[in-house]
Amino acid sequence: MVAGIGTDNRDRQAGWVCAYTPLEILLAAGLEPVRLFGSPGGTEDADAALNPNICPYVRACLQQGLDGRAPAAMVFAGCCDGIRRLYDAWSYCCQADFTFLMDVPRASLGGSAAMYNNSVGRLASALEGYTGREITARGLRKAIGARREVDGILTGFSEAMVRGYDPPGEESLRIYTDAQELPPADFISRYSSRGWGDGVAGGRSNGKPVVITGNLLASGALLEMIGDCGGSVAALDLCSAGRFPALTPDTGEAEPYPADRNGLLSYLARAYMSRTPCPRMLESTERHAHVLKLVIDSGARGVIYVPLMFCDSFLYDLPRLKDKVDAAGIPGLVLVSDYRDDNEGQMRTRVEAFMEML
Ligand code: SF4
């Protein structure tokens, strides 16, 4: 998944790795935000620079940088120790024109919101220094408008999946990935006129619905597998899918936005901090309730948990989340992922057995 990053456009792009990166500021700085999904294949070079017991997504991203397949500018929202190590290794091993490590609090209220607000302000100033271009209120409003449209399309798609829209495996992941790799205008022109299974009256197409919750998936292989085993995916609760949109009707105050630059930066800080929390955030009750709501609203018959190995945040949260879902009488399958599909055979056997059980 290294689409959109070519040698000719890497100078006008800014790479990012965590969904707590305020993309609107990168856009208002005149850069194209592109999420890194890592180099396909091995991470031999990255493993030489990072401890192998670090998150496989982090190592895949470093490998992408070492392969020269990353934007010239990189923003690292410090969501975990893995990303902070990535920043260190990147600054040391990769020839980047600009690198920035952003502080991200683990809670969304009180002093944490103020801390993130400052962090957002520092990012804006650093990008102005790098690009030599002022980030104006007008530029921010334009970026917020575009991103809001992208997140609106994604939210509509996620809701359609919960209602019963059942696109073939890869496709459901592709739309979320495109929203993180394509410039907003390109994404909007590609997806704004798409209908999402309107008229899926009476619920789901055919398969046994399941909810997937985790960090990131390296590919749609698992989604294809679920389809092959008579299942269908009702929701993709991943930071690279359903949890990605930040400017949704629930989080972003409607227009008129604040008039001035600082007001808009604070608006963004509030929106990003009030999105569906990921397991790194202290608001675990809210997060667990969100997963249970996806299960209930979609009529899902099971939950598949796909934590990345060595992801302390998700692996720490998993037992409590699973206990709550189990207590609701919903069976679960835990597939710890190495962010590669090397163990596809083993994974298929477990998915088949789980789907038969539902
Ligand atoms: S998956 Fe977990 S360990 Fe990896 S970057 Fe995300 S939060 Fe960090």
PDB file of all heavy atoms in Angstrom, residues 55 57-58 79-80 83 215-216 308 310-313, ligand 1:
ATOM      1  N   CYS A  55       6.176  -2.883  17.649  1.00  0.00           N
ATOM      2  CA  CYS A  55       4.990  -3.012  16.801  1.00  0.00           C
ATOM      3  C   CYS A  55       5.353  -3.211  15.324  1.00  0.00           C
ATOM      4  O   CYS A  55       6.161  -2.447  14.770  1.00  0.00           O
ATOM      5  CB  CYS A  55       4.161  -1.749  16.959  1.00  0.00           C
ATOM      6  SG  CYS A  55       2.955  -1.468  15.667  1.00  0.00           S
ATOM      7  N   TYR A  57       3.703  -2.615  12.666  1.00  0.00           N
ATOM      8  CA  TYR A  57       3.332  -1.481  11.824  1.00  0.00           C
ATOM      9  C   TYR A  57       4.449  -0.445  11.853  1.00  0.00           C
ATOM     10  O   TYR A  57       4.850   0.099  10.822  1.00  0.00           O
ATOM     11  CB  TYR A  57       2.019  -0.860  12.296  1.00  0.00           C
ATOM     12  CG  TYR A  57       1.677   0.467  11.663  1.00  0.00           C
ATOM     13  CD1 TYR A  57       1.427   0.565  10.305  1.00  0.00           C
ATOM     14  CD2 TYR A  57       1.606   1.629  12.421  1.00  0.00           C
ATOM     15  CE1 TYR A  57       1.130   1.789   9.709  1.00  0.00           C
ATOM     16  CE2 TYR A  57       1.299   2.853  11.846  1.00  0.00           C
ATOM     17  CZ  TYR A  57       1.073   2.923  10.493  1.00  0.00           C
ATOM     18  OH  TYR A  57       0.787   4.141   9.911  1.00  0.00           O
ATOM     19  N   VAL A  58       4.987  -0.204  13.038  1.00  0.00           N
ATOM     20  CA  VAL A  58       6.105   0.748  13.195  1.00  0.00           C
ATOM     21  C   VAL A  58       7.300   0.291  12.354  1.00  0.00           C
ATOM     22  O   VAL A  58       7.890   1.069  11.612  1.00  0.00           O
ATOM     23  CB  VAL A  58       6.485   0.876  14.686  1.00  0.00           C
ATOM     24  CG1 VAL A  58       7.848   1.519  14.858  1.00  0.00           C
ATOM     25  CG2 VAL A  58       5.419   1.656  15.449  1.00  0.00           C
ATOM     26  N   CYS A  79       1.679   8.692  19.690  1.00  0.00           N
ATOM     27  CA  CYS A  79       0.590   7.960  20.338  1.00  0.00           C
ATOM     28  C   CYS A  79       1.106   6.838  21.249  1.00  0.00           C
ATOM     29  O   CYS A  79       0.360   6.354  22.100  1.00  0.00           O
ATOM     30  CB  CYS A  79      -0.346   7.375  19.285  1.00  0.00           C
ATOM     31  SG  CYS A  79       0.468   6.237  18.174  1.00  0.00           S
ATOM     32  N   CYS A  80       2.333   6.392  21.061  1.00  0.00           N
ATOM     33  CA  CYS A  80       2.852   5.282  21.860  1.00  0.00           C
ATOM     34  C   CYS A  80       4.374   5.270  21.802  1.00  0.00           C
ATOM     35  O   CYS A  80       4.977   5.995  21.010  1.00  0.00           O
ATOM     36  CB  CYS A  80       2.315   3.962  21.300  1.00  0.00           C
ATOM     37  SG  CYS A  80       2.896   3.650  19.626  1.00  0.00           S
ATOM     38  N   ILE A  83       5.850   4.620  18.280  1.00  0.00           N
ATOM     39  CA  ILE A  83       5.944   5.763  17.351  1.00  0.00           C
ATOM     40  C   ILE A  83       7.075   6.692  17.763  1.00  0.00           C
ATOM     41  O   ILE A  83       7.791   7.243  16.926  1.00  0.00           O
ATOM     42  CB  ILE A  83       4.604   6.509  17.276  1.00  0.00           C
ATOM     43  CG1 ILE A  83       3.515   5.617  16.665  1.00  0.00           C
ATOM     44  CG2 ILE A  83       4.733   7.808  16.498  1.00  0.00           C
ATOM     45  CD1 ILE A  83       3.682   5.316  15.191  1.00  0.00           C
ATOM     46  N   ASN A 215      -6.265  -2.505  15.407  1.00  0.00           N
ATOM     47  CA  ASN A 215      -5.460  -1.320  15.063  1.00  0.00           C
ATOM     48  C   ASN A 215      -5.547  -1.050  13.556  1.00  0.00           C
ATOM     49  O   ASN A 215      -6.272  -0.197  13.091  1.00  0.00           O
ATOM     50  CB  ASN A 215      -3.992  -1.524  15.441  1.00  0.00           C
ATOM     51  CG  ASN A 215      -3.808  -2.028  16.846  1.00  0.00           C
ATOM     52  OD1 ASN A 215      -3.793  -3.226  17.065  1.00  0.00           O
ATOM     53  ND2 ASN A 215      -3.695  -1.136  17.784  1.00  0.00           N
ATOM     54  N   LEU A 216      -4.734  -1.784  12.791  1.00  0.00           N
ATOM     55  CA  LEU A 216      -4.684  -1.663  11.326  1.00  0.00           C
ATOM     56  C   LEU A 216      -4.621  -3.060  10.718  1.00  0.00           C
ATOM     57  O   LEU A 216      -4.141  -3.990  11.351  1.00  0.00           O
ATOM     58  CB  LEU A 216      -3.445  -0.896  10.845  1.00  0.00           C
ATOM     59  CG  LEU A 216      -3.137   0.482  11.370  1.00  0.00           C
ATOM     60  CD1 LEU A 216      -2.119   0.402  12.514  1.00  0.00           C
ATOM     61  CD2 LEU A 216      -2.557   1.344  10.276  1.00  0.00           C
ATOM     62  N   LEU A 308      -2.465  -5.722  16.919  1.00  0.00           N
ATOM     63  CA  LEU A 308      -1.118  -5.946  16.400  1.00  0.00           C
ATOM     64  C   LEU A 308      -0.249  -6.432  17.554  1.00  0.00           C
ATOM     65  O   LEU A 308      -0.363  -5.935  18.683  1.00  0.00           O
ATOM     66  CB  LEU A 308      -0.543  -4.650  15.828  1.00  0.00           C
ATOM     67  CG  LEU A 308      -1.079  -4.220  14.470  1.00  0.00           C
ATOM     68  CD1 LEU A 308      -0.451  -2.887  14.053  1.00  0.00           C
ATOM     69  CD2 LEU A 308      -0.794  -5.269  13.404  1.00  0.00           C
ATOM     70  N   PHE A 310       2.671  -6.786  20.113  1.00  0.00           N
ATOM     71  CA  PHE A 310       3.485  -5.776  20.796  1.00  0.00           C
ATOM     72  C   PHE A 310       2.788  -4.420  20.924  1.00  0.00           C
ATOM     73  O   PHE A 310       3.418  -3.430  21.315  1.00  0.00           O
ATOM     74  CB  PHE A 310       4.847  -5.571  20.109  1.00  0.00           C
ATOM     75  CG  PHE A 310       5.595  -6.845  19.834  1.00  0.00           C
ATOM     76  CD1 PHE A 310       6.017  -7.160  18.567  1.00  0.00           C
ATOM     77  CD2 PHE A 310       5.852  -7.745  20.864  1.00  0.00           C
ATOM     78  CE1 PHE A 310       6.697  -8.352  18.306  1.00  0.00           C
ATOM     79  CE2 PHE A 310       6.538  -8.936  20.611  1.00  0.00           C
ATOM     80  CZ  PHE A 310       6.947  -9.230  19.325  1.00  0.00           C
ATOM     81  N   CYS A 311       1.494  -4.340  20.572  1.00  0.00           N
ATOM     82  CA  CYS A 311       0.797  -3.069  20.784  1.00  0.00           C
ATOM     83  C   CYS A 311       0.249  -3.061  22.211  1.00  0.00           C
ATOM     84  O   CYS A 311      -0.854  -3.563  22.473  1.00  0.00           O
ATOM     85  CB  CYS A 311      -0.348  -2.861  19.799  1.00  0.00           C
ATOM     86  SG  CYS A 311      -1.294  -1.372  20.199  1.00  0.00           S
ATOM     87  N   ASP A 312       1.016  -2.478  23.104  1.00  0.00           N
ATOM     88  CA  ASP A 312       0.623  -2.498  24.529  1.00  0.00           C
ATOM     89  C   ASP A 312      -0.760  -1.901  24.738  1.00  0.00           C
ATOM     90  O   ASP A 312      -1.576  -2.428  25.490  1.00  0.00           O
ATOM     91  CB  ASP A 312       1.655  -1.714  25.353  1.00  0.00           C
ATOM     92  CG  ASP A 312       3.049  -2.336  25.248  1.00  0.00           C
ATOM     93  OD1 ASP A 312       3.111  -3.509  24.843  1.00  0.00           O
ATOM     94  OD2 ASP A 312       4.034  -1.630  25.529  1.00  0.00           O
ATOM     95  N   SER A 313      -1.031  -0.813  24.039  1.00  0.00           N
ATOM     96  CA  SER A 313      -2.320  -0.133  24.257  1.00  0.00           C
ATOM     97  C   SER A 313      -3.484  -1.076  23.997  1.00  0.00           C
ATOM     98  O   SER A 313      -4.396  -1.215  24.813  1.00  0.00           O
ATOM     99  CB  SER A 313      -2.441   1.074  23.311  1.00  0.00           C
ATOM    100  OG  SER A 313      -1.390   1.969  23.529  1.00  0.00           O
TER     101      SER A 313
HETATM  102  S1  SF4 B   1      -0.644  -0.186  16.652  1.00  0.00           S
HETATM  103 FE1  SF4 B   1      -0.247   0.250  18.795  1.00  0.00          FE
HETATM  104  S2  SF4 B   1       1.981   0.089  19.035  1.00  0.00           S
HETATM  105 FE2  SF4 B   1       1.537   0.240  16.842  1.00  0.00          FE
HETATM  106  S3  SF4 B   1       1.675   2.391  16.370  1.00  0.00           S
HETATM  107 FE3  SF4 B   1      -0.467   2.010  16.856  1.00  0.00          FE
HETATM  108  S4  SF4 B   1      -0.694   2.397  19.048  1.00  0.00           S
HETATM  109 FE4  SF4 B   1       1.494   2.211  18.590  1.00  0.00          FE
END
